[in-house]
């Protein structure tokens, strides 16, 4: 159902496609844990373009491709001609002649759109300033594992900076029918166009999406609390200023008193203890957070297999 397609934003996916990715990721996880081979991409090559740093994305895509029977190439913009000004549209057409798919992590979302426009192989968004779809699809699998299959009965609160994770959570919650309350400072809200699109998507599933400046209000009775760094990649110069502005948005034990007693805390990592989350809260939720990190592998294998396999008869 996704064969030959790009994975640029959860907004582009149907409700069924989102569900299928999560189900298929869970199946691949079971196969991998049982040691059963699942070489769905034998002989295929993924190019991985990185214009920003990464630990999880790089390693999980590369290992995932290997487990699927294919191989992956790490392409840093420090080494590519792209980093010296070769246009994306030329890079896209050249790489399409060698590779079977491209994962890209970059700054402006328009760069991914441009790559997808000119490439004739599947493009996977490995994070832009606007969106981080692979991470949020992963988080949905992780929520399902820890909180059960029925997203519709769950409330998630996102507390912190209205960034690429927040935007993708809005799209993800809208597709699975989950309640999502976002708390950010007034001047650091999620992207308005994303919010509007997500509200449209939510009409199909009955998801409830809201924004408030008050973290206590967002967290009230929440089953899941998510946060992320206050200074994303590219915002390093604003770090000190942001630390002051976001201080009331720290996920700490005081804030968690307002959530459901069995609430879990999620973090896409890397985490900055003492900033967006305390050491105590982080370590108390380490099992969930590292399941979340592991699930990048399974979810991205599902995405790669579904978009890059020649036949979907096995999928
Ligand atoms: N969560 C995430 O995308 O991690 P990396 O930046 O290490 O890839
Ligand atoms: N919002 C963070 C996510 C890192 C995985 C960033 O863009 O740096």
């Amino acid at each position: 159902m996704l064969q030959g397609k790009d994975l640029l934003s959860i907004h582009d996916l149907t409700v069924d496609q989102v569900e299928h990715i999560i189900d298929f990721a869970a199946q691949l996880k079971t196969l991998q844990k049982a040691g059963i081979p699942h070489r769905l991409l034998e002989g295929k090559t993924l190019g991985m373009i990185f214009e920003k740093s990464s630990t999880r994305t790089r390693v999980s895509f590369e290992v995932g491709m290997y487990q699927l029977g294919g191989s992956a190439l790490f392409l840093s913009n420090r080494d590519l001609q792209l980093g010296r000004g070769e246009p994306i549209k030329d890079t896209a057409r050249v790489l399409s002649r060698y590779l079977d798919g491209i994962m890209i992590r970059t700054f402006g979302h328009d760069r991914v759109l441009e790559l997808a426009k000119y490439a004739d192989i599947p493009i996977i968004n490995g994070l832009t300033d606007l969106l981080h779809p692979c991470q949020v699809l992963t988080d949905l699998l992780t929520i399902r594992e820890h909180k059960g299959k029925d997203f519709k009965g769950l409330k998630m609160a996102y507390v912190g900076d209205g960034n690429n994770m927040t935007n993708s959570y809005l799209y993800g919650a809208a597709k699975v029918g989950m309640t999502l309350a976002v708390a950010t400072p007034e001047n650091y809200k999620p992207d308005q166009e994303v919010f509007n699109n997500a509200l449209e998507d939510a009409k199909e599933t009955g998801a409830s999406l809201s924004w408030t400046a008050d973290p206590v209000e967002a967290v009230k009775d929440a089953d899941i609390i998510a946060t992320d760094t206050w200074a994303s990649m590219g915002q390093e110069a604003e770090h000190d200023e942001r630390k002051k502005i976001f201080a009331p948005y720290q996920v700490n034990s005081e804030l968690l008193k307002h959530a459901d007693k069995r609430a879990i805390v999620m973090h896409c990592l890397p985490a900055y203890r003492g900033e967006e989350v305390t050491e105590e809260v982080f370590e108390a939720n380490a099992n969930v957070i590292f399941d979340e990190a592991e699930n990048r592998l399974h979810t991205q294998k599902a995405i790669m297999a579904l978009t890059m396999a020649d036949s979907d008869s096995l999928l």
Side-chain angles (χ1 to χ4, degrees):
M1 76 205 300
L2 281 166
Q3 219 184 335
K5 301 226 167 76
D6 302 318
L7 194 304
L8 307 183
S9 164
I10 297 173
H11 177 55
D12 300 336
L13 301 171
T14 65
V15 167
D16 285 349
Q17 286 170 336
V18 170
E19 198 177 315
H20 187 53
I21 291 169
I22 302 168
D23 283 345
F24 193 48
Q27 280 175 37
L28 291 177
K29 183 170 183 173
T30 305
L31 293 179
Q32 195 238 328
K33 299 275 180 202
I36 299 169
H38 42 280
R39 299 170 69 83
L40 300 167
L41 295 179
E42 191 105 53
K44 303 271 184 192
T45 309
L46 176 80
M48 309 186 298
I49 301 177
F50 281 93
E51 299 192 305
K52 286 178 175 171
S53 306
S54 169
T55 297
R56 280 143 290 270
T57 305
R58 190 226 161 137
V59 177
S60 55
F61 267 103
E62 188 161 338
V63 170
M65 199 58 196
Y66 176 74
Q67 291 180 1
L68 289 167
S71 53
L73 286 176
F74 175 66
L75 305 168
S76 152
N77 73 325
R78 278 187 293 278
D79 309 316
L80 290 171
Q81 295 289 5
L82 189 63
R84 296 180 59 250
E86 184 167 13
I88 292 208
K89 59 184 181 183
D90 294 354
T91 307
R93 286 174 286 184
V94 170
L95 293 182
S96 294
R97 303 289 178 108
Y98 306 135
L99 300 168
D100 302 288
I102 298 172
M103 189 288 301
I104 177 166
R105 165 168 286 196
T106 187
F107 291 88
H109 193 69
D110 54 331
R111 290 177 73 73
V112 172
L113 297 178
E114 174 97 345
L115 187 71
K117 182 174 169 192
Y118 286 94
D120 48 23
I121 53 177
I123 304 299
I124 300 171
N125 177 359
L127 179 146
T128 63
D129 291 345
L130 187 71
L131 298 171
H132 196 0
C134 294
Q135 180 70 56
V136 168
L137 290 165
T138 297
D139 288 15
L140 292 174
L141 170 64
T142 314
I143 291 169
R144 200 174 95 166
E145 290 174 346
H146 284 269
K147 289 287 173 188
K149 270 200 161 181
D150 190 8
F151 290 108
K152 292 202 162 120
L154 294 175
K155 176 179 178 184
M156 179 180 217
Y158 174 89
V159 180
D161 181 27
N163 61 14
N164 42 13
M165 282 300 298
T166 330
N167 294 332
S168 284
Y169 277 132
L170 284 163
Y171 281 153
K175 293 288 178 184
V176 299
M178 191 163 60
T179 295
L180 173 62
V182 172
T184 71
E186 177 75 39
N187 293 332
Y188 296 86
K189 286 183 180 175
D191 184 85
Q192 191 58 53
E193 190 183 330
V194 168
F195 211 119
N196 293 342
N197 291 339
L199 286 172
E200 271 305 307
D201 290 348
K203 288 183 185 159
E204 187 182 344
T205 60
S208 162
L209 310 175
S210 59
W211 173 86
T212 170
D214 180 3
V216 171
E217 184 191 324
V219 159
K220 195 171 172 353
D221 301 326
D223 303 289
I224 304 128
I225 293 116
T227 188
D228 184 20
T229 181
W230 291 338
S232 285
M233 289 179 274
Q235 298 172 334
E236 289 77 6
E238 297 171 36
H239 181 249
D240 291 351
E241 186 197 346
R242 283 172 167 265
K243 247 174 101 167
K244 288 186 211 129
I245 295 166
F246 285 100
Y249 294 82
Q250 184 184 65
V251 176
N252 53 35
S253 50
E254 198 49 43
L255 184 65
L256 291 189
K257 285 186 186 153
H258 302 278
D260 184 82
K261 276 198 286 297
R262 289 149 303 166
I264 56 171
V265 175
M266 302 186 75
H267 197 307
C268 66
L269 303 175
Y272 299 88
R273 293 161 167 85
E275 296 189 18
E276 74 272 9
V277 64
T278 57
E279 168 81 10
E280 181 195 4
V281 166
F282 183 97
E283 290 302 338
N285 289 276
N287 63 328
V288 177
I289 293 168
F290 293 107
D291 280 352
E292 189 184 352
E294 177 190 327
N295 284 340
R296 291 294 298 279
L297 173 69
H298 310 299
T299 307
Q300 290 158 191
K301 280 168 70 181
I303 292 168
M304 290 189 287
L306 291 169
T307 57
M308 290 167 62
D310 290 326
S311 150
D312 55 13
S313 60
L314 297 168
L315 309 174

